[in-house]
Amino acid sequence: MNMTLPDLMELHTYDLLLALRTAREERRSYYGLMSSIKKAASQSQEFVEPSINAGDEYEKATGKVRQIENILLERVGYIPTQVTENLLLKYIEKCTDPINKSVMKVKKVVV
C-alpha cells in the first residue's frame, strides 16, 4: 500500500474499505515475517539487520492501517473490526438505495 494520506482521503468509502482489508493483510504478513526473522536472529547474528528491517516495515504497515481507520472513523463513525464481503455488499446496498438519494426538503417555520 503505497498511497499517501491525501490520496487515501480522495478515495470513495467503498474503495477505502477495500484498502483497509488489503493493508491489514499486508500488516499481518509483515508480522509473520518479523516474528520468524526475530526467532532466527536470536540464533544467528546474520539475521539481526533483517530483523530490524522487518520491524520497520511492520511499523509502516501499522501506520497505514491507522490512517485508513481514522479516515473511515471520520466518514462512517466507526472502525470495522473485519472487512467482510457481507459488509461490502451492505455498504453498496446503502449507497444505491433510492431513499438515500432523495433531496431533503426543509420547511420554514414562522414563529
Side-chain angles (χ1 to χ4, degrees), residues 2-105:
N2 294 326
M3 298 182 77
T4 63
L5 183 59
D7 292 339
L8 288 171
M9 293 181 81
E10 291 178 5
L11 288 177
H12 187 276
T13 305
Y14 179 82
D15 295 326
L16 210 55
L17 287 166
L18 291 174
L20 177 61
R21 180 165 58 176
T22 303
R24 283 179 175 173
E25 288 171 0
E26 191 174 301
R27 182 179 68 169
R28 192 176 308 119
S29 69
Y30 280 130
Y31 183 80
L33 179 66
M34 182 181 67
S35 63
S36 297
I37 292 176
K38 279 190 176 185
K39 286 178 186 176
S42 68
Q43 297 174 357
S44 174
Q45 288 293 351
E46 77 180 77
F47 292 106
V48 171
E49 187 176 330
S51 172
I52 293 169
N53 292 340
D56 292 343
E57 290 298 319
Y58 176 75
E59 287 180 16
K60 284 181 195 175
T62 300
K64 191 58 67 178
V65 168
R66 297 287 183 255
Q67 283 181 341
I68 297 169
E69 287 176 344
N70 285 330
I71 296 169
L72 282 169
L73 180 62
E74 190 176 296
R75 287 189 190 177
V76 295
Y78 71 99
I79 299 170
T81 54
Q82 289 184 332
V83 182
T84 61
E85 289 299 319
N86 191 29
L87 173 75
L88 295 170
L89 288 173
K90 284 183 180 180
Y91 185 78
I92 288 292
E93 286 175 9
K94 203 180 241 188
C95 288
T96 57
D97 189 2
I99 292 174
N100 293 331
K101 296 198 185 261
S102 63
V103 178
M104 187 170 124
K105 296 178 183 176

